[in-house]
Amino acid sequence: MEQNKVLQERLDVMHACVKHEHTYRVPHFSNFWTWKILDSDLHPKLSEALADYGMLDRMQCEFQERYGFDTHYDLLSRNLLKPSSIMGGHHHLINDETESINFFDHVLMEDTEYSEYGTDRWAVSWRMFLRKYPDLDQGTMAKAIAMNIENSSYLSHMQKKMATLYGCPNCYGPTLQVPHERFHKYYRGIKAATMDMRRHKGEMLKTYDMIMEDEIMPAVNRALAMDTSDCVCDVMEPFLAHTMMNQKQWDEFYWPYMKQILDAVQAAGKSIMIFVENSIIRFKDYFQDYPKGCLVLVPELDDVVELRKAIPNAAVIGGISSVLLGRGTPEECVDATKRVIDAMGDGFILGANKMISFRNDCRRENLLAVCEYVQNFRW
C-alpha cells in the first residue's frame, strides 16, 4: 500500500511537470544505462552481466535502492543481445577490457530494394534476416526464439517490479519512429542511408509514404488508444537520424512524417517524449505550435536553459553534465544542480545530459550527492 502511494505521488508530480504546472519538488529522471553494471557491487564483467537476466534484475534493483530515482529511461533492457549472439549476429562487440558495447554500421538491405520493401515488407525483411544470420540452422533458431521470449518477459517483469516494489512508474508507453530511422539505424546503415537520400530520393519517399499509411499511422492510433496513465509520457520517439541531414533533407525525409505523429499525439491530448541524440535547437521553429503538455524533450547536447528559450512550450529533461558527474566533485555537482533548477523552474525534470554508459561518465559519490540534494529539495 505504501509503494502505491509513492507510485501515485511520482506520477502526479511528473505529469504536472509535463504540463508545466508548479510542483512542490523537482523529480529525478534516470538516464543511466550500462553504467549501472559498472557501478554494481556485484562487480561482474560486462559480457557476463548482459547474458544473465537474474544478474541484471539484481543490479537494477541495487541501483534504485542506492539512488532512489523517480523513473528510469532504461531498466537494463536495451542491450539484451543473447538471441542475436547465438544466431551468429556479429554487428556488435562487447569489450570487457574497455567496458564498452560497440555497434557496427552495417548494410542489410540493397539500395535497389526500397520499392519492394514498400509493397512486400515480409519478403525483403526475410532476406535481410538471412543476410544477417547466414549460418542459422533450425536448432539455433529455436533457441533464439526461446531467448527472445525471455528477453520480452524480462522487460515486462522489471517494469512491474519497479512499480510495485519501488514505486517507480514506467517512463513511457509505446515507441514510435519515422520511417527513415529504421533504414538509418538497422537496414541500410548510417553511411548508406545518408548517400541514398541523394541517389534514391524518389524511391525512398514513395516507400516512406506507404510505410506511414499502412503501418506507422495505424500503430500510432493504436498506441494513442491505449491506457498509458501509469507512464510519465504516453509515447516515445527516438530522434537520431536528423543528425545526418541538412535542412532540405530534413524538410523532405523527416519532418513531414514526424509532424503526422506529433499532430496525432496532440489531437489525442497525449504526451510524447522525444529522446534527442545530438541537438534539436536548429529545428526549433518546427515545434512552436504544439501546446504545453504535448512535447517532452530529452536533449543530449543542447543546454537545457537555451532549449527552454528556444522551445518554451516543451517540458525538458536533463541539466546535469556527464563531464561534471564523471570528473567533478560532489560539491560542484550539487552547485550545478542548484543553478539549473533555479534557472528552469516549472516544466523541468532533472536528469543527465546523455546516456550514462561508460565508467568515466559518472562517479558514485557525485551521483549520491546530486540524488540527496534533489530528494531533499522543496520549492
Side-chain angles (χ1 to χ4, degrees), residues 211-227:
I211 294 171
M212 286 298 293
E213 181 178 355
D214 61 34
E215 182 184 338
I216 292 181
M217 288 313 298
V220 168
N221 293 330
R222 289 192 299 270
L224 295 175
M226 294 172 57
D227 179 7

Side-chain angles (χ1 to χ4, degrees), residues 22 59-61 120 193 217 251 255 306:
H22 185 66
M59 288 187 294
Q60 174 61 44
C61 293
D120 193 350
M217 288 313 298
D251 286 335
W255 176 246
E306 294 303 314

Side-chain angles (χ1 to χ4, degrees), residues 302-313:
D302 293 323
D303 177 86
V304 294
V305 177
E306 294 303 314
L307 185 59
R308 166 56 51 82
K309 295 176 183 177
I311 311 177
N313 48 308

Side-chain angles (χ1 to χ4, degrees), residues 113-124:
E113 293 179 311
Y114 276 107
S115 296
E116 186 183 359
Y117 185 86
T119 57
D120 193 350
R121 232 148 287 160
W122 170 256
V124 180

Side-chain angles (χ1 to χ4, degrees), residues 64-178:
Q64 175 59 24
E65 290 167 5
R66 178 175 294 130
Y67 299 110
F69 280 93
D70 287 303
T71 191
H72 298 263
Y73 192 85
D74 175 62
L75 297 174
L76 285 176
S77 61
R78 178 175 184 258
N79 295 311
L80 302 181
L81 302 170
K82 287 170 67 176
S84 182
S85 297
I86 196 172
M87 289 190 295
H90 302 296
H91 296 146
H92 69 270
L93 173 66
I94 302 172
N95 190 320
D96 286 324
E97 291 186 8
T98 60
E99 298 177 319
S100 64
I101 306 171
N102 296 297
F103 291 87
F104 305 119
D105 197 30
H106 57 275
V107 176
L108 295 177
M109 192 183 92
E110 300 296 332
D111 62 353
T112 57
E113 293 179 311
Y114 276 107
S115 296
E116 186 183 359
Y117 185 86
T119 57
D120 193 350
R121 232 148 287 160
W122 170 256
V124 180
S125 296
W126 181 245
R127 287 201 294 272
M128 287 191 286
F129 183 82
L130 294 178
R131 289 166 187 160
K132 185 170 184 178
Y133 307 111
D135 301 320
L136 188 63
D137 57 39
Q138 189 173 3
T140 305
M141 183 69 173
K143 291 180 182 178
I145 291 172
M147 285 185 178
N148 201 51
I149 294 172
E150 191 177 10
N151 274 7
S152 300
S153 63
Y154 168 81
L155 177 57
S156 59
H157 159 76
M158 288 309 303
Q159 288 175 330
K160 182 177 180 181
K161 187 171 186 177
M162 295 304 292
T164 57
L165 188 60
Y166 299 105
C168 289
N170 292 334
C171 185
Y172 54 85
T175 299
L176 311 168
Q177 60 181 358
V178 301

Side-chain angles (χ1 to χ4, degrees), residues 206-327:
K206 184 177 180 180
T207 298
Y208 290 4
D209 289 341
M210 288 188 281
I211 294 171
M212 286 298 293
E213 181 178 355
D214 61 34
E215 182 184 338
I216 292 181
M217 288 313 298
V220 168
N221 293 330
R222 289 192 299 270
L224 295 175
M226 294 172 57
D227 179 7
T228 47
S229 58
D230 61 345
C231 301
V232 176
C233 291
D234 298 297
V235 294
M236 190 276 288
E237 181 173 1
F239 192 56
L240 172 62
H242 69 290
T243 59
M244 304 301 294
M245 292 182 174
N246 59 35
Q247 185 67 49
K248 183 178 179 181
Q249 290 168 336
W250 159 269
D251 286 335
E252 292 178 320
F253 291 93
Y254 212 104
W255 176 246
Y257 307 107
M258 187 176 191
K259 187 177 188 301
Q260 291 182 54
I261 295 173
L262 297 187
D263 287 352
V265 172
Q266 177 187 352
K270 300 260 184 156
S271 62
I272 181 168
M273 178 178 289
I274 303 175
F275 194 84
V276 183
E277 298 274 1
N278 199 271
S279 171
I280 197 174
I281 280 186
R282 69 183 173 117
F283 300 119
K284 64 182 186 302
D285 293 340
Y286 295 81
F287 299 93
Q288 301 297 325
D289 295 333
Y290 295 96
K292 290 181 178 180
C294 181
L295 305 179
V296 180
L297 304 178
V298 188
E300 181 181 48
L301 296 184
D302 293 323
D303 177 86
V304 294
V305 177
E306 294 303 314
L307 185 59
R308 166 56 51 82
K309 295 176 183 177
I311 311 177
N313 48 308
V316 179
I317 298 175
I320 299 299
S321 163
S322 63
V323 174
L324 193 59
L325 285 172
R327 301 179 184 178

